[in-house]
Amino acid sequence: MNEQVILCEPQCFGFEHSRLNAALLYTVLLAYPDAQVTFMGEREHLVWVGKVLAREVEVDEGRVKWQEIVIPPLEISPRKRLGSELTWCRYVLRVASTPNLRFLILCSITSTGLFFLKVLMHLKDRRVPILVIPHGILNSISDRQPRKPWRWLFSLRQVLRLPHPKRLRYIALSGSIYRALLDVMPNVAPNFRTLDIPCFWTHNNTSIDIGCGQIVRFGYIGVSTKGGFDVFSRLAAEIQREVSQKLGEFVMVGFLKQRGGYPISGQDAVKGVSYTPLSIEEYARRASSLTYAVVMASPKIYNFGASTSFLDALSYVKPGIYLRNPYIEYCFGKMGDIGYLCDSYQEMRSVMLSILKEFPLVRYKRQCENILQGRKMFEPQVLAPKLRAIVDDIE
C-alpha cells in the first residue's frame, strides 16, 4: 500500500459536515482501493467522521489514518485569521509533499485559505493534484464586492481571478452550480469539475408505509432562515383555518437560530418549534414521521449551493413540496417525480390543500420509489469512478 491520499477539513468543528465528509472519505477509499488515506481535521471532527464511517460501512482500520491539525477558531478577528489560515495551509502542503501522494482534497475552503493556497502553490511547483470543495462561500461571488481594499482583495471573486496553478481544480457539487458559474464567472468555470455530494442514507427500505386515513405531516427540515420558517408557519396557519387539523399537521424538524430574531406569524400552528438543536435521535424521529418535506427558502440561496434539507428528505425517503430553485430543479431533472416543484407561495398552498382533501396515494408511492432509485446518483459507489476520472484529468 504505497499510494497515499490526503483529505483535509480546514473549517469544520465537531459534528458539522461529519456525514458529508465521511461519505466523501468512503468515496475516496472506493476510488483508490489500494491507497492509504489520511484524514486531517479538528480533533472532535475526526471523532465524528470516524463514528459515521464505522456506523455506515465496513472499512479496514489500517487504511485510514486520522491526523489532528489546528484550524482557525469559529470566532476570530480578520487579522488573526490570516495568520491561522496561512499556518494550516503551509503545514498541509508540507505534509502533501511526500513523493507517493496521489492527490490532496480540501473538503472545504474560505476565501483567505484559497488565497494562501494559490500563493504557496505558485511559490513552489507542486506536482500533486489538489481538489478544493467550496460550499456556501460560492454564493458570495454574486454579492456586492467589499469597498475596503483588503476585504476586496480577499473576497472569493477576486481570489478566484488570481493566476490559477496547473494542478489545482475546484469541485462544483452539482451541474446547476456549474451552470451558474458559467453565467457569472465564465473565465473561472473551466477550473471547476462537477461531482455530486456523496451521501450516506438513513433509510434504505423499499416498502412505503402510508395509507388512506392517516394524518399527513408536512415538515420544515433544517435551521431556520429568513424567508424560510416564517413563511412555512404562516402557510401552516392559513391551511389549518381551511382544513381540519385531524387531516394534517405541520412539524419542525430542526430549530430556530435565535428567539425574537424576527417576527414569526402563525408559529403556534407548527408543532415542535425549538430554539436549540435537536438530538440526533429526536431529529430522526421527527423526520421519519413526516409525509412530505417542505423547502421554501429563497431560490437565490441555491444558485451556488446544494440543499442539505433536500438531501435529508431523500435520506428519509420523503417526497417534497419545494419552492423552485436551481439545485432542486436540477435534481428533479435527474431523478424524475420526487415531489412538487412550485413557482410561488400560492402554488405550494394549493398543492398542500389538494393533498389534504384527497391524498394521492398512487403518485406518492411512485415518488418514494423514484427517490430510492434516483438518489443513487449521490452514493459513493457511483461517485468513486467519477472522482478518479477528475484526478486522472489533472494528472
Side-chain angles (χ1 to χ4, degrees), residues 56-67:
E56 298 293 340
V57 293
E58 290 186 12
V59 174
D60 181 357
E61 292 184 5
R63 288 199 60 201
V64 181
K65 177 182 177 183
W66 307 94
Q67 184 172 345

Side-chain angles (χ1 to χ4, degrees), residues 116-137:
F116 288 122
L117 176 68
K118 295 181 83 169
V119 169
L120 292 172
M121 289 183 73
H122 280 300
L123 289 176
K124 182 178 180 181
D125 182 37
R126 299 181 187 275
R127 299 185 178 278
V128 174
I130 298 179
L131 300 179
V132 173
I133 306 179
H135 290 272
I137 191 175

Side-chain angles (χ1 to χ4, degrees), residues 291-295 310 313-314 317-324 328 331-333 335-342 347-348 351 355 360 363-372:
T291 314
Y292 292 94
V294 180
V295 176
F310 170 75
L314 299 186
V317 199
K318 304 300 177 183
I321 301 169
Y322 302 108
L323 185 62
R324 187 185 301 272
I328 293 179
C331 293
F332 266 69
M335 302 173 68
D337 181 11
I338 53 174
Y340 301 85
L341 268 180
C342 303
E347 186 176 354
M348 298 182 82
V351 166
I355 288 170
R363 183 178 179 184
Y364 185 84
K365 289 183 176 181
R366 185 172 66 248
Q367 289 170 336
C368 293
E369 290 165 359
N370 287 344
I371 289 173
L372 287 166

Side-chain angles (χ1 to χ4, degrees), residues 339-364:
Y340 301 85
L341 268 180
C342 303
D343 292 310
S344 66
Y345 174 94
Q346 289 302 325
E347 186 176 354
M348 298 182 82
R349 183 176 181 276
S350 296
V351 166
M352 292 182 186
L353 285 171
S354 174
I355 288 170
L356 290 172
K357 289 175 181 178
E358 185 176 355
F359 189 80
L361 183 60
V362 174
R363 183 178 179 184
Y364 185 84

Side-chain angles (χ1 to χ4, degrees), residues 38-297:
T38 298
F39 191 97
M40 307 173 74
E42 180 265 339
R43 179 185 302 173
E44 289 300 316
H45 188 67
L46 298 183
V47 172
W48 274 104
V49 172
K51 285 181 178 179
V52 173
L53 188 67
R55 185 171 63 243
E56 298 293 340
V57 293
E58 290 186 12
V59 174
D60 181 357
E61 292 184 5
R63 288 199 60 201
V64 181
K65 177 182 177 183
W66 307 94
Q67 184 172 345
E68 180 184 355
I69 60 171
V70 177
I71 63 175
L74 296 175
E75 301 295 332
I76 188 173
S77 68
R79 182 177 299 179
K80 289 182 179 180
R81 174 169 290 279
L82 292 178
S84 187
E85 297 270 22
L86 175 60
T87 298
W88 77 253
C89 191
R90 182 183 289 160
Y91 174 76
V92 171
L93 288 180
R94 186 166 63 248
V95 174
S97 63
T98 179
N100 57 346
L101 184 69
R102 184 66 180 272
F103 66 99
L104 163 68
I105 295 182
L106 295 179
C107 304
S108 67
I109 200 71
T110 63
S111 58
T112 49
L114 182 57
F115 174 87
F116 288 122
L117 176 68
K118 295 181 83 169
V119 169
L120 292 172
M121 289 183 73
H122 280 300
L123 289 176
K124 182 178 180 181
D125 182 37
R126 299 181 187 275
R127 299 185 178 278
V128 174
I130 298 179
L131 300 179
V132 173
I133 306 179
H135 290 272
I137 191 175
L138 268 182
N139 277 304
S140 68
I141 66 176
S142 60
D143 294 341
R144 180 180 297 178
Q145 293 299 282
R147 292 185 177 182
K148 293 183 179 180
W150 70 271
R151 288 189 176 179
W152 176 87
L153 175 63
F154 290 109
S155 68
L156 184 62
R157 187 189 299 180
Q158 302 310 321
V159 172
L160 288 172
R161 286 172 172 166
L162 293 175
H164 191 79
K166 290 182 180 180
R167 301 282 180 166
L168 175 64
R169 295 292 184 276
Y170 312 117
I171 296 295
L173 291 173
S174 79
S176 64
I177 295 173
Y178 185 77
R179 288 195 294 270
L181 286 162
L182 282 172
D183 290 338
V184 176
M185 300 190 74
N187 294 331
V188 170
N191 298 323
F192 280 78
R193 298 293 181 268
T194 300
L195 186 75
D196 289 303
I197 297 179
C199 293
F200 289 132
W201 306 119
T202 301
H203 289 304
N204 296 302
N205 58 301
T206 55
S207 61
I208 310 304
D209 184 20
I210 183 73
C212 295
Q214 291 187 8
I215 194 165
V216 177
R217 290 189 178 89
F218 301 102
Y220 179 94
I221 297 179
V223 181
S224 68
T225 56
K226 181 66 174 174
F229 180 74
D230 52 342
V231 180
F232 176 78
S233 61
R234 178 160 58 92
L235 183 61
E238 288 184 10
I239 290 178
Q240 289 185 353
R241 282 196 291 267
E242 291 193 36
V243 180
S244 169
Q245 294 185 29
K246 294 180 181 179
L247 296 178
E249 286 183 352
F250 291 79
V251 181
M252 187 173 200
V253 186
F255 68 101
L256 296 172
K257 281 187 177 179
Q258 62 182 53
R259 187 186 301 270
Y262 47 84
I264 298 176
S265 174
Q267 178 177 320
D268 293 341
V270 181
K271 293 188 175 182
V273 177
S274 172
Y275 294 92
T276 57
L278 304 179
S279 67
I280 295 174
E281 294 76 16
E282 179 61 15
Y283 187 97
R285 187 191 68 78
R286 294 190 191 184
S288 298
S289 75
L290 298 181
T291 314
Y292 292 94
V294 180
V295 176
M296 50 203 325

